[in-house]
Amino acid sequence: MNTGLDGVVAAVTNLSQVDGEAGRLIVRGHDIEELAARFDFADTAALLWDGLAPGSVEGHLDGTAIRQALGLARLRAADRLPLLLPAAKGLSPIEGLRAGLAMLGDDDCDHLLLCAAVPVFTAALWRQTLGQPAVSPDPGLGQAADFLTMLTGRPADQMAARALETYLVTVADHGLNASTFTARVVSSTRAGMVSAVVAALCALKGPLHGGAPGPVLDMLDEIGNPAGIEPWLDRQFAAGERLMGFGHRVYRTRDPRADVLKGVVAGLRGGPNRIALAERVERAVLARLAERYPSRRLDTNVEFYTALALEAAGLPRQLFTLAFAMGRVLGWTAHIFEQEQTGRIIRPASRYTGPVPRGRTLAAVAG
Ligand code: ACO
């Protein structure tokens, strides 16, 4: 039985297409490499929400209007901090973000506020763990630059802001991944956008999905230097552990986003030792995985170079999954709009293997 729903088509979408054999990702008519090079977060929002967001007419939603609206939405999000921050004391950043999004009301929240709330809440939650006050958003800045400024309390380094913006665009949408599917399931019950996004964040948080890049850095730390690679891999395989940043349900080749992000890291640091070590680790892991699973091609996924890109942009690893949410919330909201248009509840079937009441057959029970 196909318990992981591999290859099952559960939605019709015009948002993105993942070609796992060719290693290609298309987002609304753009290859991911082109999108990452040419679009910022607001342009990508306009692309994804075009013709779907309330009041938008296909072909007419533009990045400038969205950039302004997102800036104002970040101010609206900051108004929620006095309620969130005391409630989130003692929670980890991802738990705090989950709580913060859950505190948004169905009636006064929209896609703009949700997309603005993720960076505003993340920065303030992190500063709270450091004992520092929240920094107000600057609606005139781009999404990544404003996030970095709110995070550090200093004007964002332009290169770091550009790198983070590229990251947000690169991960904005990716077919029916686990969190997006979750968003569509919840949305299909007409629970509303806030509930669907909270549920999506819960799915994203797992280490097999968006929780992988923090452990990727832990892995590089533990390995330490090239001599440590093979012994570390021996230990991992002996313990039956999965290697974070490798393998993918759909890709049978390299995840195209990995190379986009590798380019981001190289551009930020001009080829530091960390990339050199990461490349050697990558080669060694791929060789081991090929040896162990000769009939199942396992390659590098987006999370491997995400870890290096986010570290290079100055983010602490505890915020990596939240940064992923900062980008992917665009895709979630677009899919929710799309799902709302189809109007059909997502309700698959299960095969019962439990006991049957005496005197009855399974078919009779099912009927
Ligand atoms: N390390 C070691 N073994 C692996 C890995 C890995 N990274 N990935 C898959 N395998 C093994 C599986 O355990 C399985 O072995 P088995 O047959 O002995 O049980 C075999 O390879 C085949 O697994 P798949 O069917 O290819 O894996 P699946 O599609 O179920 O899972 C997943 C995909 C969750 C991404 C998996 O590859 C994994 O756990 N990777 C590590 C976590 C990770 O990097 N997650 C981020 C993914 S990208 C994203 O979500 C944004």
Side-chain angles (χ1 to χ4, degrees):
M1 195 174 51
N2 183 5
T3 50
L5 303 182
D6 311 34
V8 171
V9 175
V12 174
T13 180
N14 71 14
L15 294 168
S16 62
Q17 162 72 10
V18 183
D19 181 340
E21 294 299 328
R24 189 171 186 201
L25 167 61
I26 297 171
V27 179
R28 279 202 143 176
H30 301 268
D31 276 314
I32 191 62
E33 294 82 358
E34 184 223 338
L35 195 80
R38 284 194 32 227
F39 283 55
D40 70 2
F41 184 83
D43 291 331
T44 309
L47 182 75
L48 285 169
W49 292 336
D50 194 32
L52 294 170
S56 84
V57 181
E58 204 154 328
H60 288 88
L61 204 57
D62 74 282
T64 308
I66 296 289
R67 205 165 288 113
Q68 285 166 358
L70 278 170
L72 295 175
R74 289 196 299 275
L75 290 174
R76 283 196 284 145
D79 290 342
R80 315 297 171 110
L81 290 175
L83 202 61
L84 167 62
L85 291 177
K89 277 207 174 109
L91 298 180
S92 69
I94 189 77
E95 291 165 339
L97 180 63
R98 187 178 60 190
L101 296 182
M103 287 165 88
L104 297 172
D106 282 324
D107 294 337
D108 59 351
C109 184
D110 59 11
H111 55 299
L112 289 159
L113 183 56
L114 279 161
C115 290
V118 181
V120 170
F121 291 178
T122 299
L125 286 161
W126 181 246
R127 288 179 69 81
Q128 175 160 269
T129 65
L130 303 177
Q132 296 168 351
V135 173
S136 298
D138 177 347
L141 292 175
Q143 189 88 337
D146 202 17
F147 168 68
L148 290 175
T149 306
M150 289 186 283
L151 187 68
T152 62
R154 296 184 305 275
D157 173 83
Q158 281 192 11
M159 296 271 284
R162 202 168 322 127
L164 182 60
E165 194 92 9
T166 304
Y167 166 75
L168 299 179
V169 170
T170 304
V171 301
D173 197 41
H174 197 242
L176 214 54
N177 58 85
S179 56
T180 301
F181 179 56
T182 303
R184 289 192 79 127
V185 170
V186 175
S187 169
S188 81
T189 71
R190 301 189 187 171
M193 189 172 267
V194 175
S195 301
V197 166
V198 171
L201 181 72
C202 294
L204 185 79
K205 144 183 199 290
L208 299 192
H209 187 15
V216 167
L217 279 197
D218 298 339
M219 165 175 80
L220 294 178
D221 286 347
E222 282 170 30
I223 289 173
N225 59 58
I229 297 175
E230 294 300 334
W232 186 86
L233 285 176
D234 288 341
R235 287 196 299 279
Q236 292 304 108
F237 278 109
E241 296 287 346
R242 291 197 177 196
L243 303 164
M244 294 296 138
F246 298 92
H248 198 275
R249 170 57 59 80
V250 182
Y251 289 117
R252 289 294 148 252
T253 182
R254 201 174 160 82
D255 183 333
R257 300 167 299 172
D259 283 326
V260 171
L261 296 178
K262 190 174 174 183
V264 165
V265 189
L268 265 175
R269 285 196 174 168
N273 285 338
R274 190 94 165 174
I275 286 202
L277 175 66
E279 282 175 334
R280 291 183 72 157
V281 169
E282 185 185 9
R283 275 198 299 275
V285 169
L286 295 181
R288 289 283 193 106
L289 288 172
E291 195 181 283
R292 196 177 179 101
Y293 301 103
S295 59
R296 177 82 163 150
R297 180 144 181 219
L298 299 172
D299 215 316
T300 314
N301 68 45
V302 64
E303 302 290 44
F304 190 70
Y305 285 104
T306 285
L308 272 74
L310 294 180
E311 183 191 41
L315 267 70
R317 69 189 72 181
Q318 296 92 324
L319 299 189
F320 285 1
T321 306
L322 295 86
F324 194 169
M326 225 177 280
R328 184 54 59 83
V329 67
L330 275 188
W332 293 336
T333 50
H335 277 270
I336 292 165
F337 283 137
E338 209 178 44
Q339 183 64 40
E340 283 169 350
Q341 287 182 0
T342 75
R344 194 131 195 262
I345 190 167
I346 298 174
R347 202 304 190 185
S350 52
R351 183 161 62 80
Y352 179 67
T353 57
V356 179
R358 218 184 329 208
R360 297 182 71 190
T361 65
L362 204 54
V365 171

